[in-house]
Amino acid sequence: MATKDFVQEGLTAGEVIALVSLDVQVAFDAALWPGIWNELRECGCPKTYGLTKSYFIQRTASLSTNNLRTEKEISRVWPKGLCCGPGFWNLQYNSLLELKYMARTKVVAFADDLIMATRGNSVRAVENYVNIELSKIKRWSKNKKTKFNDKKSKVILVSRRKRKGNKNLTVYLNHKPLDQVTQMKYLGIILDHKFRFQEHIKYAAERCAKLIHSLSKAAKLTCGFKHAAMAIIYKGAILPLLTYGAPVWNSDFQRK
């Protein structure tokens, strides 16, 4: 909704918007422990800082095969089952969200899924703004020893202008141009270049149709699922798929 509101405001003003989805390589395993300690210290959490540092210090990874054993001290990767891992990741990632972006840019993240929206009066202006913002993110990733995957990261240009023109964007991440697409999926919602959500509605409808077809074959008059069981399956499998993200795309569905 935060992304939609920002984009919708730009479209109402007649602007064009570039959406960049950034994919973090190995995500949680890329979080460097010393960086987490620094973030805790800067947040003014001395007790948590000391406890966290003692928990992570002198951890090793070992590999045994036959009579051979090798061991290496590690400085990143969360120990398996660490329930506070996502919290530590957020602590590090918050510094990315708090960078000094331009007023025309909004960055939204959920866990390691990040999307950057930048508005402008023209395609070339947006292209320039996005490259400036990505240079800030690049410096951040270098300092945090975190790398974004330029092959999986994408950019999409959102515009409802009717006049024809060059709508190709050339934006760079890790000195490589990002692939420009006409639609991308973010947090389970398909965003299209018109921001109409028709592709998402079509995608959800097709998935639901397949589930309903499979369910109908299991519901026989003489043998098969009873009504109560059918209702449970509908509420647990089909209804959540139909209503997922509804506040985002519902207005466009009603308009059509």
Side-chain angles (χ1 to χ4, degrees):
M1 285 300 295
T3 303
K4 179 189 177 181
D5 291 343
F6 183 81
V7 172
Q8 196 63 54
E9 184 179 331
L11 291 174
T12 302
E15 297 176 313
V16 294
I17 304 95
L19 297 177
V20 180
S21 66
L22 296 175
D23 180 81
V24 184
Q25 284 188 353
V26 296
F28 292 85
D29 290 348
L32 198 66
W33 295 344
I36 302 297
W37 303 338
N38 290 336
E39 295 292 342
L40 283 170
R41 186 162 48 195
E42 292 176 4
C43 287
C45 304
K47 293 184 178 180
T48 308
Y49 169 80
L51 178 64
T52 303
K53 190 170 183 179
S54 66
Y55 185 80
F56 284 124
I57 204 168
Q58 294 181 342
R59 283 194 173 269
T60 59
S62 60
L63 175 65
S64 300
T65 173
N66 296 330
N67 296 325
L68 300 176
R69 177 184 173 87
T70 181
E71 193 172 75
K72 181 181 179 180
E73 188 170 345
I74 55 177
S75 59
R76 64 176 72 203
V77 180
W78 305 120
K80 297 299 181 183
L82 182 65
C83 61
C84 56
F88 285 140
W89 171 261
N90 287 345
L91 188 65
Q92 172 177 290
Y93 221 43
N94 278 344
S95 60
L96 172 60
L97 303 179
E98 294 171 354
L99 292 177
K100 293 183 179 180
Y101 299 103
M102 290 180 282
R104 62 182 70 255
T105 295
K106 187 175 186 64
V107 178
V108 178
F110 182 87
D112 62 318
D113 291 318
L114 183 141
I115 192 167
M116 182 181 76
T118 303
R119 302 187 330 214
N121 294 323
S122 67
V123 176
R124 297 288 73 84
V126 166
E127 181 181 87
N128 184 44
Y129 298 145
V130 171
N131 280 309
I132 292 173
E133 304 293 39
L134 286 177
S135 66
K136 300 174 185 177
I137 293 177
K138 179 188 174 184
R139 288 194 295 271
W140 177 90
S141 63
K142 184 177 181 180
N143 293 333
K144 298 297 182 180
K145 310 297 183 187
T146 302
K147 190 174 182 181
F148 290 98
N149 191 331
D150 50 79
K151 294 183 179 179
K152 291 185 178 181
S153 299
K154 308 292 182 182
V155 60
I156 181 173
L157 182 70
V158 179
S159 174
R160 292 180 184 171
R161 294 179 176 179
K162 295 182 179 180
R163 63 178 180 269
K164 295 182 179 180
N166 187 358
K167 295 184 178 181
N168 294 325
L169 289 174
T170 305
V171 296
Y172 295 89
L173 181 66
N174 302 329
H175 304 292
K176 297 179 181 179
L178 294 183
D179 290 337
Q180 182 176 352
V181 295
T182 57
Q183 63 183 46
M184 64 171 63
K185 182 181 287 188
Y186 181 66
L187 300 181
I189 301 291
I190 298 176
L191 308 176
D192 60 86
H193 69 288
K194 293 288 187 181
F195 227 67
R196 296 294 191 187
F197 301 101
Q198 297 304 314
E199 290 301 321
H200 177 79
I201 294 171
K202 179 181 177 182
Y203 167 77
E206 289 176 351
R207 288 193 62 188
C208 287
K210 291 180 181 179
L211 285 174
I212 292 172
H213 178 68
S214 299
L215 193 59
S216 64
K217 291 194 297 184
K220 305 293 184 181
L221 292 176
T222 55
C223 63
F225 289 132
K226 294 183 179 180
H227 182 270
M230 296 274 288
I232 292 174
I233 295 174
Y234 172 77
K235 292 178 181 179
I238 298 174
L239 194 59
L241 185 60
L242 278 173
T243 58
Y244 177 77
V248 178
W249 51 262
N250 182 49
S251 58
D252 288 272
F253 181 74
Q254 290 178 334
R255 178 182 56 81
K256 187 176 181 180

